Amino acid sequence: MHTGPVLVVRWAHSGRWLASGSDDEIVMIWDLDPNSRGKVWGSDEVNVEGWKPLKRLPGHESDVTDVAWAPGDRYLASVGLDSQVIIWCGYTLERLKKLDQHQGFVKGVCWDPVGEFLATQSDDRSVKIWRTTDWSLEAEVTKPFEDSPGSTFFRRLSWSPDGAHITASNATNNKGFVFIAAVITRNSWTSEISLVGHENTVEVAAYNPHIFLRNMNEKVSTSNICSVVALGADDRSVSIWQTKSARPLIVAKEVFERQIMDLSWSWDGLTLYAASSDGTIAVFNFDPEEMEGIAPHSVQEQYLTKFGFTPAPIPEGYSHVSTKESSQLSSSQQQSQSSDFSQANGGGERINVLVAKRSNKKRANLTNQSSIIPSASTSALVNGITSGSTDPIPRRKHSLNSFPPPSEQPFDAPEGWSRHADVSMDLDVPIDSLDTPASPIQGRSGKRKASVLDLPDDGKQVKARTLGGDRARDHVAVKEITHHTVMRGETVGAGCGGQTGLSLPVPPLLTVLSAEVEGSDEILEARNPEDDAGPTEVMFIAGKQTQWLDYLSSPAINVKATPSFCAVATLDGSVNIYSYTGRRFMPSFALGAPAAFMEATKHALLIITTTGQLYSWNIKKQSSFFSPPSVAPLLPSPNHTITAVSIRSNGAPVINCSNGVVYSYDPALLTWIKLSERWWSEGSDAWQSRSRNSTNQSGNRGIMFCVEGSISGISDESLSDKVRPTWWSTALTLGHLEMRLNATRLLDSPQEYKQALLLYAKKIADENFRAKAEELIKELYGPIYYRPGREETWTSTVVGLPKRDLLRDVLSIFTRSKTLTKLGMDWQDVLRKASSDE
């Protein structure tokens, strides 16, 4: 018996055994006991069947999260939070292989129906494909999971019954903002197909075990087959897709009180079971005629022979009961069992079943893609939770809840996208039936195709409109508009924090300003009229297509676009923020003076007005990173100017000045600080042009590399002959590295911080500066009896790096030095003892 919560249960294909996995680290095999039915422990409920433990399979070192039987039950695979994949013999139940190449919790496993491959999915944000012939790694897929959240209970994936695709859960698009299920193509192992629309992470994918024929009158071929897959997500919704359609067939919204943990189809493909962490189960039943094109398992077996794969032989003397033998129950026996089950429950438990049948009665919410209005949400759960109120749903030419026929599926992708199956599934297709707002990626890409929901009564496809989308893009010459003059202190510049002694130049007024979105062909463009007769136009263009446009009352002088937002600054001191659909999702800023500089990255936007006021905003959170300071302290002389401006994703500004100094603002200290200055180049051994490691450092260029590179200038050979004090080089090297440590911490550059720290440790070790070394050690080690949450004056990390991990590297440098060896070894012992105590 298990001694902990059971996380997964899977039937063997033969129906002879059950495999279960638990957080007690054990995989358990169960066998049917025909002589044991008995009552459920602690109640009067009678078990319909009795199952006894057959064998315990120890081997995992943490929770077992998923198990899967191979085709023909030749193997059993189990995965767990110990990052291990264990392969067991499906007959002898002996452990055959342990695969340990995942670097995170493994939360999903599935088998290729051909038997050639095994797929596993892990919190290391990868799906790994393993060859069953030698258990070596065939491929690793990471792209759709790069930004996937790591907080899900499971990452259950499923292989299509035709062997052509894997549908993997917990994938994202648009840098983590769009939750999808990723469809991975066999052999090429690429994921260019997404099932988009769930409002939260997709937790599980499960294919119907049958293949489906597009045309029942045609022969079985790659071009005539498709599959049905169900998705369960943390938004408590279940969606069902057919690979020939660009839209979900059915969507059941808010089926549970909590997230969906698992899905399972019945062997006949007509029932879908969904389990939730709220302790309930939902059942979806379909009539055979509603499963249009469903083919018997014999068709699948015949089709899979085309792959020509020969599985490993079965151990001699072992066999499983065949599926046919195990399923030969007469209809009277099945009815008897059903009757016994209802009697055993004593009528005390109400089972609510979502039944997709043709009926005008009010019923639970199964939203079909051909419905023309949204339907009410529903709950249809076991354990006494009743169905929510629903509304009747109008029908069209075919049954509302039957799968739409091919004539109403104009979404087939071009053939040839798959090497082994021409399954037509649209790229980045939205689940509009979920009634979710358009995601940013839908607005940007322009790839969203018209759906059956978009069709009028005559059935003709209507092209979706965009504001300005009917305009052909024309090219306008970039010219400076000279008749506009900005008089300082008249219509602009008033009321800006009282900064009256500083005046920065207004950017030139041009006929066209544009900004490209990094990594795409999308452009934000502003066009100013050469005369004052017309308004300023703002357009967002993808390729040759105008996505949207807007009009402004004042000429634009600065435009910026990131993958998250667009910004336009105008001559009257206003700033407008747009989403990628052209929506002004933030109020227009009134800064009181034109923007002399504007920069943006990710979710951060920076503006310096002509009166010297600096603003830094977090657009995603719609808040300011800090109160706006003035840049006047950076320009004490009229000869000093700002030559370049940029912003970090944490809101920290980086301002280059003509005097060879680069500044940033520290909101914790409420003051400007120096990031670097040209002075260090006169004596620091760590300066780029002087460092022996500068060539190696350039291979990993961070923000500080760029900062110092921008002020390096041309070396003055006359400085090498200048007489310097005795400690000149050492003092400048240490001072330079200490400034670099503070700068990289403020700019949130972990790798450069660590690099500067190790250079600093090596320098003080080479110079035998024991006092500096001890102070550095104590700063990184912290209090001797430190416990998280108890010490307020010391934090255990710096720029996201654990300080004691950094200390290990520093002590390693000290122990290899000629002067601080004993100090390093003594503190290594202290650190080891502290680590063991923790």
Side-chain angles (χ1 to χ4, degrees):
M1 297 293 184
H2 285 296
T3 59
V6 177
L7 304 179
V8 59
V9 180
R10 295 286 183 261
W11 289 98
H13 297 288
S14 65
R16 174 183 174 184
W17 287 341
L18 276 171
S20 60
S22 166
D23 69 359
D24 62 5
E25 306 175 5
I26 297 297
V27 176
M28 186 81 75
I29 306 300
W30 305 79
D31 195 11
L32 179 64
D33 185 356
N35 300 319
S36 174
R37 292 180 62 177
K39 294 183 178 180
V40 177
W41 187 85
S43 75
D44 293 330
E45 182 180 346
V46 178
N47 280 321
V48 176
E49 294 180 345
W51 289 76
K52 60 184 179 182
L54 177 66
K55 190 170 184 178
R56 298 172 75 254
L57 305 181
H60 283 282
E61 299 173 3
S62 189
D63 303 12
V64 179
T65 54
D66 205 3
V67 298
W69 294 91
D73 300 329
R74 179 63 185 85
Y75 303 108
L76 173 68
S78 61
V79 299
L81 301 188
D82 56 359
S83 305
Q84 306 289 327
V85 181
I86 298 181
I87 310 298
W88 314 84
C89 177
Y91 291 85
T92 65
L93 301 178
E94 297 173 337
R95 190 171 77 181
L96 302 179
K97 186 71 176 180
K98 180 181 284 190
L99 310 174
D100 57 1
Q101 296 186 35
H102 276 294
Q103 303 301 314
F105 300 154
V106 188
K107 296 181 175 179
V109 60
C110 69
W111 290 90
D112 165 23
V114 179
E116 186 178 3
F117 300 112
L118 170 74
T120 55
Q121 188 169 0
S122 165
D123 274 357
D124 62 10
R125 293 180 170 85
S126 74
V127 168
K128 294 186 186 295
I129 315 296
W130 312 86
R131 287 188 289 270
T132 60
T133 52
D134 56 3
W135 305 113
S136 60
L137 187 64
E138 165 77 8
E140 181 178 30
V141 183
T142 59
K143 186 176 180 180
F145 315 105
E146 292 172 349
D147 300 299
S148 66
S151 57
T152 57
F153 282 97
F154 303 106
R155 292 175 181 255
R156 303 200 194 277
L157 67 172
S158 183
W159 211 305
S160 64
D162 61 0
H165 305 96
I166 303 168
T167 295
S169 59
N170 202 348
T172 59
N173 277 346
N174 200 23
K175 299 193 174 180
F177 291 99
V178 180
F179 301 103
I180 67 169
V183 181
I184 301 169
T185 305
R186 185 190 188 95
N187 285 354
S188 66
W189 309 121
T190 57
S191 176
E192 299 179 359
I193 305 171
S194 304
L195 304 182
V196 183
H198 279 287
E199 296 176 353
N200 209 328
T201 312
V202 178
E203 191 108 7
V204 53
Y207 273 96
N208 188 300
H210 290 256
I211 64 174
F212 290 74
L213 299 181
R214 296 168 183 251
N215 189 334
M216 296 293 289
N217 298 322
E218 295 183 6
K219 65 178 183 179
V220 178
S221 63
T222 300
S223 59
N224 190 36
I225 65 171
C226 57
S227 303
V228 170
V229 63
L231 303 180
D234 287 353
D235 60 5
R236 302 173 292 158
S237 300
V238 175
S239 61
I240 301 177
W241 303 70
Q242 196 167 32
T243 53
K244 70 179 182 181
S245 171
R247 302 285 296 279
L249 301 174
I250 291 174
V251 176
K253 298 171 56 179
E254 300 179 1
V255 182
F256 297 100
E257 298 298 322
R258 298 183 63 183
Q259 69 264 43
I260 295 168
M261 309 295 278
D262 206 357
L263 297 171
S264 181
W265 290 90
S266 62
W267 183 245
D268 63 6
L270 299 179
T271 304
L272 174 65
Y273 300 88
S276 168
S277 60
D278 64 10
T280 60
I281 295 173
V283 183
F284 302 81
N285 285 338
F286 301 92
D287 288 338
E289 61 269 18
E290 292 171 326
M291 283 294 190
E292 183 181 6
I294 191 169
H297 286 288
S298 58
V299 174
Q300 179 199 20
E301 295 170 1
Q302 175 188 353
Y303 177 79
L304 294 180
T305 57
K306 74 165 193 158
F307 289 91
F309 178 76
T310 303
I314 295 173
E316 186 176 353
Y318 288 88
S319 66
H320 283 304
V321 179
S322 68
T323 305
K324 293 181 180 179
E325 292 174 353
S326 65
S327 62
Q328 284 179 347
L329 290 175
S330 66
S331 59
S332 60
Q333 288 175 316
Q334 294 178 8
Q335 292 174 1
S336 174
Q337 285 188 1
S338 176
S339 175
D340 291 343
F341 184 53
S342 60
Q343 292 175 5
N345 288 329
E349 179 179 52
R350 178 181 177 184
I351 300 177
N352 301 288
V353 182
L354 294 178
V355 182
K357 293 186 176 181
R358 304 179 183 182
S359 173
N360 290 324
K361 297 180 181 180
K362 291 186 178 182
R363 49 182 292 279
N365 174 32
L366 285 175
T367 307
N368 184 270
Q369 74 168 48
S370 59
S371 63
I372 58 177
I373 60 172
S375 59
S377 61
T378 181
S379 297
L381 312 174
V382 180
N383 295 346
I385 299 178
T386 60
S387 299
S389 61
T390 58
D391 296 325
I393 304 174
R395 294 176 298 177
R396 294 183 58 180
K397 297 179 181 179
H398 54 80
S399 168
L400 172 65
N401 297 301
S402 63
F403 289 176
S407 60
E408 293 199 19
Q409 296 293 346
F411 308 106
D412 287 358
E415 295 190 5
W417 62 267
S418 170
R419 294 176 59 180
H420 288 279
D422 297 328
V423 181
S424 300
M425 186 183 295
D426 191 32
L427 306 184
D428 293 340
V429 288
I431 304 182
D432 287 351
S433 301
L434 282 171
D435 300 329
T436 59
S439 62
I441 194 169
Q442 293 169 7
R444 292 177 53 192
S445 65
K447 293 180 181 178
R448 181 186 178 277
K449 298 184 178 181
S451 66
V452 175
L453 283 173
D454 300 325
L455 299 182
D457 292 336
D458 58 6
K460 295 182 179 179
Q461 183 170 315
V462 178
K463 184 178 181 181
R465 298 179 62 194
T466 61
L467 184 61
D470 55 347
R471 286 181 36 169
R473 184 186 180 189
D474 56 342
H475 293 278
V476 177
V478 179
K479 295 187 295 185
E480 185 173 354
I481 301 175
T482 57
H483 68 272
H484 275 284
T485 57
V486 179
M487 300 301 295
R488 171 83 174 73
E490 294 183 357
T491 60
V492 297
C496 290
Q499 299 295 335
T500 59
L502 182 65
S503 179
L504 299 177
V506 178
L509 193 59
L510 304 176
T511 55
V512 179
L513 299 93
S514 62
E516 293 186 6
V517 180
E518 184 179 359
S520 73
D521 61 349
E522 297 160 339
I523 298 174
L524 175 67
E525 189 172 278
R527 296 184 179 182
N528 296 315
E530 293 191 52
D531 51 35
D532 294 331
T536 292
E537 293 184 352
V538 178
M539 294 175 287
F540 188 74
I541 303 165
K544 297 181 180 180
Q545 177 70 35
T546 300
Q547 298 300 306
W548 55 263
L549 64 80
D550 193 19
Y551 297 102
L552 302 176
S553 59
S554 180
I557 57 174
N558 258 312
V559 297
K560 290 294 175 184
T562 76
S564 303
F565 67 93
C566 303
V568 180
T570 57
L571 192 61
D572 63 357
S574 300
V575 180
N576 297 287
I577 311 296
Y578 298 92
S579 71
Y580 273 93
T581 61
R583 185 170 61 93
R584 300 193 191 195
F585 65 97
M586 291 185 68
S588 295
F589 303 159
L591 305 184
F597 298 92
M598 183 165 75
E599 292 295 330
T601 181
K602 296 183 179 179
H603 302 290
L605 174 65
L606 177 142
I607 287 180
I608 301 176
T609 66
T610 55
T611 55
Q613 208 75 2
L614 183 143
Y615 299 86
S616 180
W617 296 284
N618 186 324
I619 301 300
K620 181 180 181 181
K621 295 183 178 180
Q622 300 193 16
S623 62
S624 176
F625 284 107
F626 46 80
S627 299
S630 171
V631 298
L634 311 184
L635 306 172
S637 167
N639 297 326
H640 290 175
T641 60
I642 295 177
T643 59
V645 175
S646 63
I647 183 174
R648 297 285 288 166
S649 58
N650 64 350
V654 179
I655 300 179
N656 286 56
C657 293
S658 57
N659 60 349
V661 184
V662 182
Y663 299 92
S664 187
Y665 187 78
D666 191 333
L669 301 176
L670 297 178
T671 188
W672 292 98
I673 68 166
K674 292 182 178 180
L675 296 178
S676 190
E677 55 185 321
R678 197 173 294 140
W679 152 264
W680 302 117
S681 65
E682 297 186 16
S684 172
D685 293 337
W687 193 256
Q688 287 182 16
S689 58
R690 298 167 60 92
S691 173
R692 290 172 295 179
N693 297 324
S694 61
T695 303
N696 296 332
Q697 294 172 7
S698 65
N700 187 9
R701 300 187 177 186
I703 179 62
M704 281 306 298
F705 184 92
C706 298
V707 164
E708 294 185 355
S710 67
I711 57 176
S712 291
I714 302 174
S715 60
D716 188 352
E717 296 182 359
S718 63
L719 295 176
S720 59
D721 300 329
K722 191 173 181 178
V723 178
R724 301 295 190 184
T726 305
W727 292 96
W728 173 260
S729 178
T730 302
L732 260 68
T733 301
L734 291 176
H736 175 216
L737 290 173
E738 288 162 354
M739 176 176 277
R740 188 185 287 179
L741 286 170
N742 292 318
T744 52
R745 184 167 53 203
L746 177 62
L747 299 179
D748 194 22
S749 181
Q751 187 146 352
E752 288 184 304
Y753 178 87
K754 182 177 181 180
Q755 184 184 68
L757 177 66
L758 299 183
L759 287 174
Y760 183 70
K762 187 175 187 308
K763 185 64 178 177
I764 60 179
D766 291 343
E767 299 293 341
N768 193 18
F769 291 156
R770 185 182 181 89
K772 287 181 179 288
E774 289 179 340
E775 187 177 51
L776 177 63
I777 290 172
K778 292 176 181 178
E779 178 184 328
L780 294 175
Y781 184 85
I784 296 294
Y785 299 105
Y786 169 76
R787 291 292 183 274
R790 296 185 182 179
E791 181 62 48
E792 297 180 357
T793 61
W794 184 81
T795 57
S796 60
T797 62
V798 56
V799 290
L801 302 174
K803 287 183 178 179
R804 290 187 176 179
D805 288 350
L806 294 173
L807 178 58
R808 288 188 180 88
D809 296 331
V810 169
L811 294 178
S812 178
I813 291 175
F814 289 167
T815 55
R816 293 197 304 268
S817 69
K818 298 179 181 179
T819 57
L820 300 178
T821 303
K822 188 176 186 306
L823 177 68
M825 295 178 67
D826 290 345
W827 275 97
Q828 280 182 335
D829 293 338
V830 174
L831 189 59
R832 273 194 294 268
K833 188 176 186 303
S835 299
S836 62
D837 291 343
E838 291 175 359

